[in-house]
Amino acid sequence: MSSDHSHSHAHGPNDAGKNIAVAFFLNFFFAIIELIGGILTNSVAILSDAFHDFGDSLSLGVAWYLQKISTKKGDSRFSYGYKRFSLLGSIFISVVLVVGSILIVAESIKRFADPQDTNAAGMVLLSILGIIVNGAAVFRLKKGRSHNEKAVLIHMMEDLLGWIAVMAGGILMHFWDLPFIDPMLSVIIAVWVLFNVYKNLSSTISIMLQEVPKDVDISDLYNDFKSIGKADSIHDLHVWTLDGESHILSVHLVMQENVTREEVQKAKESLKQIAMHRGIGHVTVEVEFCDEVSCCSYYKNPC
Ligand SMILES: [Zn+2]
Ligand SMILES: [Zn+2]
Ligand SMILES: [Zn+2]
Ligand SMILES: [Zn+2]
């Protein structure tokens, strides 16, 4: 693509990439700590959160990798560039998360039927550690502005919530004999993971089905294009998105009779300006004239 397709982010991709890398290692480190802690305390709730953190670090790792790949320009094999690879990443992560959540829910159901002893004091201790480290990470990431950093921040905050729930459950189980609380928390965390998979997957599928991007109002665009000077009408207006951020538009612009070359150029230019102002970076216009046979028949009997 040419250099006029620019995106404005608060700061450079290197900065965002570094923050994602930090979040990736933090999450991965935590997943391992939780895996060990979950086995030691025999808490399926902590194991469920370990899996949640593992899933998060997997998506962070993929996002980190794609951050590098997606900036590659189009080549003779992938003429649109590599932005759509993020869709592949999100489908891969969704499959991993669905399989893992089902395994965890199955284990939790077994524990409802056959309650097991969990080390409640150990759960509380581990959750205090988790709240401190996760809280520090949330505080640090609060400054980040990019899409990716915001997503990372949301994950960190929900992790913080998970730890608070584990702490509350541990306290309850320490003072009362309530063994069902641990598998119950585990199922809640797994359902939360599945809910996020559903949200993520449905937006990925919308992109693959070439739905008009949510931040673009196509009837608004249509009206703005029609009011361009010396334009007669427009048709075949298509808007879709490569990855949810980089939008593509194509349209047929029918000019009035007896227009000059300059008027055509001006109309094309203002059409591109209107599209750019609405965040559409890649615009293709086919200009038609009213005396073109195909165009006039379309104009008289629009299908
Ligand atoms: Zn281009
Ligand atoms: Zn998360
Ligand atoms: Zn966690
Ligand atoms: Zn046409």
Side-chain angles (χ1 to χ4, degrees):
M1 289 187 226
S2 67
S3 58
D4 55 17
H5 310 117
S6 64
H7 293 270
S8 54
H9 284 290
H11 41 79
N14 284 340
D15 225 19
K18 218 165 66 189
N19 269 334
I20 295 173
V22 169
F24 165 76
F25 285 117
L26 218 64
N27 258 280
F28 194 67
F29 170 72
F30 246 98
I32 291 167
I33 297 277
E34 281 179 294
L35 182 67
I36 297 166
I39 291 167
L40 287 179
T41 56
N42 196 29
S43 160
V44 74
I46 291 177
L47 282 178
S48 183
D49 197 60
F51 173 70
H52 167 216
D53 275 0
F54 175 71
D56 278 1
S57 43
L58 188 67
S59 20
L60 287 165
V62 170
W64 185 26
Y65 175 68
L66 289 172
Q67 183 110 10
K68 288 178 193 155
I69 265 202
S70 66
T71 53
K72 276 211 303 189
K73 295 270 160 65
D75 51 33
S76 58
R77 187 161 174 225
F78 295 104
S79 63
Y80 271 114
Y82 289 76
K83 294 206 167 84
R84 278 222 149 177
F85 277 59
S86 64
L87 305 186
L88 203 63
S90 106
I91 289 168
F92 168 68
I93 290 159
S94 299
V95 171
V96 172
L97 288 179
V98 167
V99 171
S101 300
I102 289 170
L103 291 176
I104 280 169
V105 169
E107 175 62 27
S108 306
I109 288 170
K110 263 194 266 170
R111 292 202 178 196
F112 279 122
D114 178 22
Q116 296 202 11
D117 280 335
T118 45
N119 183 345
M123 281 173 77
V124 175
L125 231 60
L126 205 63
S127 61
I128 289 170
L129 186 77
I131 287 167
I132 291 169
V133 176
N134 251 310
V138 167
F139 197 73
R140 190 187 175 282
L141 273 162
K142 264 232 154 87
K143 296 170 210 136
R145 289 285 139 80
S146 82
H147 288 282
N148 272 328
E149 285 166 305
K150 272 190 189 133
V152 169
L153 181 66
I154 289 169
H155 277 301
M156 291 292 184
M157 291 213 287
E158 74 185 26
D159 261 5
L160 199 58
L161 267 175
W163 279 121
I164 291 168
V166 168
M167 185 171 73
I171 290 170
L172 284 175
M173 286 165 64
H174 185 69
F175 290 107
W176 291 279
D177 183 32
L178 302 166
F180 68 89
I181 284 187
D182 184 56
M184 191 184 75
L185 282 175
S186 165
V187 170
I188 291 171
I189 292 167
V191 167
W192 175 248
V193 169
L194 284 175
F195 172 69
N196 282 317
V197 168
Y198 166 75
K199 269 203 317 197
N200 203 359
L201 208 55
S202 66
S203 75
T204 300
I205 287 169
S206 295
I207 291 170
M208 293 178 87
L209 295 177
Q210 292 184 298
E211 188 185 49
V212 175
K214 299 258 185 307
D215 53 344
V216 174
D217 185 338
I218 202 158
S219 55
D220 249 28
L221 265 182
Y222 190 86
N223 289 328
D224 283 2
F225 286 168
K226 269 202 315 199
S227 59
I228 289 171
K230 297 287 174 185
D232 180 278
S233 64
I234 62 157
H235 58 269
D236 270 341
L237 172 59
H238 303 296
V239 188
W240 53 285
T241 182
L242 278 176
D243 60 353
E245 272 186 67
S246 303
H247 304 338
I248 314 276
L249 179 146
S250 68
V251 65
H252 291 204
L253 172 66
V254 184
M255 299 303 295
Q256 291 169 7
E257 277 170 84
N258 307 319
V259 283
T260 65
R261 179 200 162 97
E262 281 70 34
E263 283 165 341
V264 172
Q265 277 179 338
K266 244 179 96 184
K268 252 169 39 174
E269 202 41 55
S270 40
L271 190 149
K272 282 183 181 164
Q273 286 301 324
I274 292 166
M276 296 275 180
H277 276 126
R278 285 154 192 267
I280 299 162
H282 199 275
V283 177
T284 308
V285 189
E286 172 155 338
V287 175
E288 289 161 5
F289 298 96
C290 238
D291 46 15
E292 275 181 71
V293 182
S294 61
C295 147
C296 278
S297 62
Y298 181 93
Y299 182 52
K300 278 166 194 154
N301 326 294
C303 40

